[in-house]
Structures are given as C-alpha cells and as structure tokens.
Amino acid sequence: MFSIHYLWIKKTFIPLVLFISYSSITSHKALANMELPIQYCSMSINSTLLSTDQVSLNFSLQNPYDKNMRLLIWYTPFEGFFSDLFIITNSDTGEQLNYQGPMVKRLQPQIEDYLSLSANEISSITLNLSLVYVFTQGNYQLQLKKNSFNFEEDNLTTFPLFCKTPFLEFNIK
Amino acid sequence: MKHLVKLMIAITAIISLQANAAKAQLDVQVSVAKADNGNVNATLNITNNGNGQQKILGWYTDLNEEHIFSVKKDGVEVDFFGPHYKRQAPTDKDFIKLKSGQSLTKTFELSALYDMSTTGNYEVSYDVKSMHLYSNKGQQKKTERLAVEQLSSAVSVIWLDGIESKGSANKGKPGGGGGAGDCIGGTCFTGRCDNGQKTEIISALAAADQITNNSVSYLSSHAANNTSARYNTWFGDATSARYNTAVDHFDAINDAIDNQPVTFDCSCKKSYFAYVYPTQPYKVYLCRAFWNANELGTDSRAGTIVHELSHFNAVAGTDDVVYGQSGAQSLATSNPDQALNNADSHEYFAENTPNQN
C-alpha cells in the first residue's frame, strides 16, 4: 500500500511545489515536503456502532500553519456528501461501492465554501457513510478519494497540501 | 332534552365568542400586488386600535411560520406548501406586544408557498384560528383555555395571468395540463419556487430543449467517420462505438426533456449551479449560480439542465470526471471514452459556444 501512495505523491509533487512559497510556511519541516504527517489528518470508523445502516466515519484535520487559514471544503468530508468522497471496496467480492449521493455542478467558491481555522486548530466531522453507500454484511476497505487540501490565506494565496490519511478496514456483521 | 343541550352549547359558544370579540382590538388588513417577474407580494398590517396593550402570538404574524393567509382561486381554496410545525404551548416570549395605536407591517411573497401559477382571480385574506392567539392561557380557567380565538381581514383580490409553458419542451408529458401538484405543462416544482423562478425555469428548459435538439440533429447528420470540430473538441476521436454512445446519450437527454416528468427544486441556497441524485430521476436541485447564469452560452442555465439530466442513471449515467471547458477539451484528447462519461463534455457539446460546425 505504501508504494502506491508513494507513487501518487511523487506524481503530485512537482506541480504542488510550484504553487508554494516556502517562506510563507512556518515551523514544520514536514510541510516543505507538502505531505502532512499522519497526526495532522486522521480518519477512523466507529467500530462499536457498525451496522448496514450506521457506518460512522470521523475525519479530522489540523491547520498545520501557525496562523489563521481557511480551507476550501469542496470535495472534502467537511462539505458533507456533495461528491463521491471515498473509495470503498467490498473485500469479499472485490467490488467498489457506488456512490448514491448528489452530484454537483459548481462555479466559483463563495465565502461559505471555506472553513476558517485558527493557528493549529483541529476540525472534525462525523459522517454516516450508509446515507450514500449501500452496505451489506461483509468486509470493507476504505480510502479517502481526494487527498489534497487547499489552505488559503486572506490574500487568497493557495497552499495545496497532501494529507496522508489511513487506509481503513472494517467488518459489518 | 337533546335540543336543550344543543341550545346550551350554542349559547356557551356565543358567550365565548363575544368575550373574545370584546378582547380583540386588532385590525388586520392585507393588500396584494404583482411584481414584474410574476411574484405576488402580500403586505400584512396589524394595528392595535384599542386603548390598552394587545398581544398576538408571533408565529401568527409570519407566513414562514404558519399558514396565516387564506388564498382562493376562483372561489376554491389553494393548497399551502409552507411549513406545518408541531409546536409546544407558547410561552410569554412568543407573543408580540402592540401598544395602543401601534402597528406591525410585514410583506410576504405568496407564489412560492401557494400555487398561483395558473390564470385566475385570486382572493387573499388573513385568517387565523387558534386557542393561543392573544395570550398564554396556561393560568386561565379550562373553558377560557379551550376557547378558539379568531382574527381575520377583509379579502384582497388580484387577477393573475398564468405561467405558460412555451415551445415543444413539455408536449406529451405525464401529469401535464396543470393537474395534480405544483406542475405546469408536465414540469413540476418543489422547494418553494416562486412565480418568477417558475417562469425562468420554464424558459431555461425550453432553451435546453433547443440545444439538445440541435445536438441530436448534429449527430444524425454526421457519422463516426465524418465528425467535425464540434464533436472532436468535446468528445475527441470518434469510433463507431463511441459515436453511438454520444447518439444514445443525447437521445436519452432529449427524451427526458420531451417526455419525462422533470421536477425542479428551488430550495438549495448553496453557491453551486445545481445537483442531482443520479439514482433519483428526474429531479434537479437548482442553486445560486444557476439563477446568476445566462440562459444560453457557456455554463448557462440551458447547459446546466443538459449537464444535470445526463447524470441520471436512467438517462446517460455520466460522472463529473473534470469540470470546465479547458479540462473537458484536454479529456477529449487524452481519453475520449472518459469524455463520453463526463457531464460537462455533454454540456459544452450542447452549448457549442463559441460556435463550431
């Protein structure tokens, strides 16, 4: 799995680097690599409340900058289900689950499409995946589909960051 | 004995009505006016003409809270699409206080909450009955607590010309002809579309029909071995399989516009153009960017309707592989099969802006 991630990172890197001015990023060495360490973005499934109607996923992301930033929430869990956010595979059959939620045509993001985060603030959201994916009993594997997050400063400079989220496995009884 | 009981009930009712009549010192007036875009605005004025302070339960002064207006079309009550809340008994803070001589004036748009899309004479009045209209009766005697209080206004009358469905977009659709629900010529509305929005939707759908017909006729007058710049720009290299997919997709979009019961929902307040649930044909949710777009051209209202209809699994089952014109053009070059799976590629082919042969 790691090697797949690594390749993806390598491919994504070059364009990202061009966008980012190093001097704007404070403190963290890891940010120079544009990949956030795992503690900045976490994702987990609540295994105690797992059923075909209730697959609760908690996602959290920390502002890695020592200043106020805003995050474009489009195509991220913070938007809720307005796009196909996850790649979910039934490990028993090898089939990928079809997203059943809304598909949105967008224009320009407006002020309400951003989440304001103060310096190093952590934001979390819980989503019930069974609202938009049809689960049956069995074993599943889950990944976040889009791993890059666009942080912006007030001056609208964009800092796309790659967030390495875990690859989750769970079982629905 | 039976008659005596009836008489007693009648007398009790009269007494209680009189008691309330004496208490109510509020005068209510309603005036209705039609806006240029077909919307209907009702202005409610409630004035305390009594000597003392008068209270009125706040939610009976707000159409967004309660069904406070009676709307009749040609004498028949018009359905109300607004909210019906289940509430707890009101507390003192839920009442609005009007001093002697003070009045309250509010304006509400009616056509989003009542179907006022067909031609006729509409009578609008304020008409509210409640056990809690004027006060919190928690401390009162049972007979007083159970008395129903009523407040109403004179009727205000307005003539409205209906919204017509123009062009061929709605011919032969099920549920046409202003039948059940909030529908005009087979196109239905949910989520509080007002008359102005309904008019704009009907017009945008006619424009979507026009650009879809144009796409269908392009595809029938060309072939996989005889494409031109318009096809190649948005769908790339043609094979006969790919070309047939394009034909099938636009035939299905055309069929949805002409023959299927398309519903538009106006409740979305987000920055998006529009969205659909691909598994739930043929309901399209329109958002803010839609209302700001032009009817025709790139990323237009007509094109957005084509885009959204193409998403339905029952139509073309497209995805959003890439967004925007430059992305769609690159996709046509790099992956023509995916271009035929991309909703924006269909939209831009149909919009054909700038014009290509």
Side-chain angles (χ1 to χ4, degrees), chain B residues 1-265:
Chain B
M1 185 61 199
K2 209 171 151 189
H3 290 291
L4 189 64
V5 173
K6 275 189 179 169
L7 187 65
M8 291 289 282
I9 292 169
I11 290 169
T12 316
I14 289 165
I15 291 169
S16 65
L17 266 177
Q18 280 177 335
N20 292 322
K23 197 179 169 189
Q25 300 162 326
L26 298 176
D27 282 340
V28 188
Q29 290 181 329
V30 174
S31 61
V32 260
K34 188 170 66 173
D36 290 343
N37 65 358
N39 284 359
V40 183
N41 294 313
T43 301
L44 170 69
N45 180 291
I46 302 177
T47 304
N48 179 4
N49 284 327
N51 293 323
Q53 177 180 269
Q54 176 72 49
K55 291 194 283 187
I56 181 164
L57 189 47
W59 57 70
Y60 290 117
T61 68
D62 190 346
L63 187 63
N64 299 309
E65 297 282 342
E66 281 293 336
H67 182 186
I68 59 173
F69 294 113
S70 158
V71 177
K72 290 179 180 170
K73 186 203 160 201
D74 302 327
V76 180
E77 195 79 33
V78 174
D79 287 340
F80 178 62
F81 300 128
H84 292 281
Y85 293 110
K86 178 173 165 58
R87 302 178 193 273
Q88 302 202 315
T91 60
D92 285 342
K93 67 175 171 47
D94 296 318
F95 288 86
I96 292 171
K97 297 182 183 73
L98 289 176
K99 290 175 191 160
S100 177
Q102 196 179 8
S103 61
L104 168 160
T105 304
K106 288 182 183 175
T107 299
F108 305 97
E109 204 290 307
L110 297 184
S111 69
L113 296 174
Y114 299 86
D115 180 6
M116 304 179 85
S117 60
T118 53
T119 304
N121 208 29
Y122 289 82
E123 298 170 58
V124 180
S125 61
Y126 177 89
D127 187 23
V128 162
K129 294 182 188 69
S130 167
M131 298 199 310
H132 303 285
L133 188 54
Y134 301 123
S135 60
N136 176 8
K137 293 182 178 176
Q139 306 303 316
Q140 295 176 2
K141 288 181 213 152
K142 190 177 177 187
T143 49
E144 289 177 8
R145 277 208 314 270
L146 295 180
V148 172
E149 295 156 334
Q150 180 173 10
L151 186 63
S152 49
S153 73
V155 171
S156 183
V157 181
I158 191 166
W159 173 265
L160 297 177
D161 293 320
I163 301 169
E164 304 294 333
S165 63
K166 297 184 187 76
S168 61
N170 299 299
K171 276 180 189 160
K173 281 196 177 185
D182 190 8
C183 301
I184 300 168
T187 303
C188 298
F189 305 96
T190 58
R192 300 184 175 194
C193 304
D194 62 36
N195 273 2
Q197 290 172 317
K198 287 174 188 172
T199 305
E200 293 181 34
I201 290 168
I202 296 277
S203 179
L205 186 60
D209 190 38
Q210 174 200 321
I211 62 174
T212 304
N213 286 338
N214 180 278
S215 303
V216 169
S217 59
Y218 171 96
L219 291 167
S220 65
S221 63
H222 292 72
N225 59 4
N226 174 31
T227 56
S228 67
R230 178 175 177 184
Y231 181 97
N232 299 115
T233 300
W234 303 115
F235 294 125
D237 288 339
T239 61
S240 62
R242 285 183 199 141
Y243 197 86
N244 288 340
T245 302
V247 169
D248 289 347
H249 285 182
F250 278 97
D251 283 349
I253 295 166
N254 202 28
D255 176 68
I257 295 174
D258 287 346
N259 303 316
Q260 304 303 329
V262 180
T263 296
F264 292 95
D265 186 288

Side-chain angles (χ1 to χ4, degrees), chain A residues 48-110:
Chain A
T48 56
L49 285 170
L50 209 49
S51 71
T52 53
D53 305 329
Q54 183 75 42
V55 181
S56 281
L57 177 134
N58 186 278
F59 178 83
S60 63
L61 181 70
Q62 181 171 10
N63 175 6
Y65 301 91
D66 293 331
K67 56 187 163 189
N68 295 341
M69 297 293 280
R70 58 180 202 169
L71 173 77
L72 179 61
I73 62 171
W74 283 7
Y75 310 108
T76 80
F78 296 113
E79 189 184 26
F81 287 114
F82 281 97
S83 64
D84 188 4
L85 295 169
F86 301 100
I87 300 167
I88 306 173
T89 310
N90 183 324
S91 327
D92 306 326
T93 63
E95 282 176 20
Q96 194 175 322
L97 301 194
N98 284 322
Y99 167 71
Q100 311 269 317
M103 296 178 81
V104 179
K105 178 173 165 68
R106 301 154 197 264
L107 187 65
Q108 291 296 317
Q110 303 295 312

Side-chain angles (χ1 to χ4, degrees), chain A residues 122-164:
Chain A
I122 299 172
S123 187
S124 300
I125 189 161
T126 301
L127 299 172
N128 180 1
L129 303 177
S130 70
L131 293 175
V132 294
Y133 300 97
V134 178
F135 290 96
T136 52
Q137 293 178 350
N139 295 297
Y140 291 91
Q141 296 182 324
L142 177 147
Q143 303 169 255
L144 194 62
K145 198 168 192 174
K146 182 178 162 291
N147 287 286
S148 70
F149 291 83
N150 285 320
F151 285 91
E152 291 185 8
E153 276 192 280
D154 292 341
N155 62 13
L156 300 181
T157 315
T158 304
F159 302 94
L161 290 176
F162 178 77
C163 195
K164 193 170 159 187

Side-chain angles (χ1 to χ4, degrees), chain A residues 73-75 79-83 98-113 131-132, chain B residues 269-279 288-289 299 304 307-308 311 318-320 323 344 347-348:
Chain A
I73 62 171
W74 283 7
Y75 310 108
E79 189 184 26
F81 287 114
F82 281 97
S83 64
N98 284 322
Y99 167 71
Q100 311 269 317
M103 296 178 81
V104 179
K105 178 173 165 68
R106 301 154 197 264
L107 187 65
Q108 291 296 317
Q110 303 295 312
I111 197 101
E112 74 266 22
D113 298 315
L131 293 175
V132 294
Chain B
K269 303 292 179 241
K270 289 181 174 281
S271 63
Y272 314 144
F273 270 104
Y275 64 89
V276 297
Y277 291 78
T279 54
R288 267 165 35 213
D299 292 318
T304 297
H307 174 119
E308 296 303 332
H311 275 317
T318 60
D319 292 329
D320 291 317
Y323 279 107
D344 258 359
E347 173 174 345
Y348 297 139

